[in-house]
Amino acid sequence: MKRVALLGATGSIGRQALEIIEANPELELVAAASGKQPIEGLAPLTQVGGDPTRLLESAEPDVVLNAVVGFAGLPGTLWTLEQGIDLALANKESLVAGGDLAVAAWERGGGRILPVDSEHSAAFQLLEHREPKSVDSLVLTASGGPFRGRSRADLEGVTPAEALAHPTWSMGPKITVDSATLMNKGLELIEAHFLFGLPYERIEVVVHPTSVVHALVRLRDGAALAHLGYPDMRVPISYALTYPERAATRIPKLDLASGLILEFSAADEDAFPCLALARSAGEAGGVAPCVLNAANEVAVAAFLDGSLPFLGIPDVVERTLDRLDHPPARDLDDLVAADAEARRLAAALTREPAAR
Ligand SMILES: NC(=O)c1ccc[n+]([C@@H]2O[C@H](COP(=O)([O-])OP(=O)(O)OC[C@H]3O[C@@H](n4cnc5c(N)ncnc54)[C@H](OP(=O)(O)O)[C@@H]3O)[C@@H](O)[C@H]2O)c1
């Protein structure tokens, strides 16, 4: 039996995780947490809002699935890594914002991070037991979101409802908007850097509209290995929760006979500047990724409530990054302060029209 603690139990990933746990007699849900929604009775131990540390300590889990959205997931990530407990990580924002601290806690704790993001789950499987020097680069695929193929001018005036209509994945609202701006792929680039220890210049992003290939690894002899599967988060969730066994799931097998379309193209960084913003924040290091993430959370919330246009999202993120310094964070307090300062500035910038 594996004891599972589930943070973010009411969300898109959380609900799919409950389905996987329910169907697998080897998995036992010992604790669950949400942000606001009531979840009493869902697990022996539950908590709504706040720092989940005490809940996790009492639950004594074998694996923590962190499916909280946003920077709020950071305490759960840091606690789990510090304890050396397996972390099934969906909450990419914690690794983006707190990458250096998280990696240090991971090294001290000595546990495992089992990525839940489908691209990182794929990359983890492609890279496992592979000689690092044989790897040339990692390729993350992006569906391109609902606005793939549009120019910058075509993105003026797109609505939250249009941005929320993702072509291949059904997900929570924040990540769906991030997919439409390509910030999601930018966050994933930074996540991959910290998860796999690869420098940014060895992580590529390509657009692949059907989301069947989740990631590729290019090897030094010219071969490339790919991970394929239908876009269904229950596969990487199950993989992370049952690792290393890899339990059976009810997800349909790839139907190769019906003709799979494996089309790839470069991302349009002019129409979707968030990807380049994330890459440069990652390369800048220090608290730059934390600032990027905080500004993006504020801008996405403003877009969803109708107070910021779609193109205002990259604009607010860029101006927030430009106006703040990005020193390294020595500890969690530094990171929380950088996050709060970036949120204050980004909120002010959402009310201030862009200069261009
Ligand atoms: N959805 C996907 O397919 C997918 C794929 C890859 C990666 N991810 C990543 O997985 C994470 C979750 O995504 P999602 O789509 O499942 O989001 P979601 O549907 O919006 O769910 C978010 C979850 O986080 C909880 N939460 C929010 N604020 C919290 C706080 N302050 N403290 C504790 N819990 C809090 C919510 O609780 P309440 O309901 O009570 O507010 C909810 O359970 C994100 O980091 C996302 O990038 C998601």
Side-chain angles (χ1 to χ4, degrees), residues 17-315:
L18 290 172
E19 193 187 311
I20 295 290
I21 296 166
E22 178 77 32
N24 188 331
E26 303 287 308
L27 299 173
E28 180 188 8
L29 184 68
V30 292
S34 67
K36 289 193 199 107
Q37 297 191 62
I39 49 166
E40 219 183 291
L42 185 64
L45 298 171
T46 57
Q47 181 178 315
V48 177
D51 185 332
T53 300
R54 299 271 290 278
L55 176 85
L56 293 172
E57 274 166 1
S58 316
E60 299 183 359
D62 297 312
V63 57
V64 174
L65 171 49
N66 189 351
V68 170
V69 64
F71 186 76
L74 187 61
T77 288
L78 291 180
W79 182 86
T80 307
L81 292 175
E82 201 70 66
Q83 303 306 308
I85 294 170
D86 281 358
L87 174 64
L89 184 66
N91 174 258
K92 64 192 84 182
E93 294 92 342
S94 55
L95 208 54
V96 169
D100 293 320
L101 295 182
V103 168
W106 185 16
E107 282 168 6
R108 283 192 298 271
R112 290 183 288 219
I113 302 185
L114 303 162
V116 170
D117 233 333
S118 58
E119 297 77 0
H120 303 71
S121 174
F124 176 89
Q125 293 169 60
L126 291 166
L127 290 168
E128 200 182 19
H129 308 310
R130 195 166 301 288
E131 182 68 33
K133 66 174 191 259
S134 70
V135 174
D136 181 44
S137 62
L138 170 65
V139 185
L140 302 175
T141 55
S143 71
F147 304 137
R148 181 177 54 85
R150 295 206 194 184
S151 68
R152 200 177 159 79
D154 292 339
L155 293 172
E156 304 262 0
V158 296
T159 64
E162 290 172 299
L164 288 172
H166 196 280
T168 52
W169 293 100
S170 163
M171 311 179 284
K174 193 256 176 186
I175 183 176
T176 307
V177 175
D178 285 347
S179 299
T181 61
L182 286 199
M183 180 59 93
N184 183 48
K185 217 46 57 177
L187 299 177
E188 289 181 4
L189 181 71
I190 301 172
E191 181 186 13
H193 164 78
F194 287 114
L195 276 176
F196 306 117
L198 284 168
Y200 287 101
E201 66 271 17
R202 287 171 58 203
I203 311 174
E204 299 168 51
V205 169
V206 293
V207 172
H208 167 54
T210 49
S211 305
V212 167
V213 174
H214 303 306
L216 300 96
V217 168
R218 293 185 195 274
L219 302 174
R220 66 178 170 189
D221 59 3
L225 307 180
H227 181 289
L228 281 73
Y230 288 127
D232 189 320
M233 288 307 296
R234 291 171 299 176
V235 176
I237 294 169
S238 174
Y239 180 77
L241 291 181
T242 64
Y243 181 87
E245 267 81 38
R246 194 192 277 271
T249 69
R250 296 188 199 131
I251 286 61
K253 294 193 176 14
L254 267 187
D255 181 359
L256 298 166
S258 69
L260 278 180
I261 300 169
L262 302 184
E263 179 195 336
F264 301 92
S265 59
D268 177 351
E269 296 197 2
D270 177 50
F272 303 98
C274 285
L275 182 56
L277 286 171
R279 189 179 281 277
S280 67
E283 283 166 351
V287 295
C290 175
V291 168
L292 169 101
N293 177 67
N296 182 58
E297 286 191 34
V298 169
V300 169
F303 169 67
L304 284 172
D305 75 19
S307 58
L308 186 72
F310 185 75
L311 292 176
I313 299 173
D315 176 67

